[in-house]
Amino acid sequence: MLRSVDSLRTEISGPLTSRMGPKVKILTAEVHGDEVRGLAFCPGKVIRYVFAAQTQRLRTKALLSLTCSTRKPAA
């Protein structure tokens, strides 16, 4: 089933925003059967998401987390 990118972004923006916060940005959205898969960026993280359209279930996994350095410079 082909859907426009705008409709995919609208469909997954609600669940992503409720889980990750209002600053989440959707990078990619692809249809795989009845699932929408893609990448999103929220402050300090790049996440992979899988949204099952029939069950409205959202799974996320952090692929990259940016952290601040805790080491002090030498000398």
Side-chain angles (χ1 to χ4, degrees), residues 17 20 29 43 47 52 54-55 65-66 71:
T17 301
M20 296 297 185
I47 60 166
Q54 291 180 344
T55 61
S65 295
L66 303 176
R71 295 182 64 198

Side-chain angles (χ1 to χ4, degrees), residues 40-64:
F41 177 77
C42 57
K45 291 183 185 178
V46 175
I47 60 166
R48 183 181 85 191
Y49 65 86
V50 178
F51 180 69
Q54 291 180 344
T55 61
Q56 300 292 306
R57 181 174 176 219
L58 177 69
R59 293 178 291 170
T60 61
K61 181 179 180 180
L63 297 178
L64 176 68

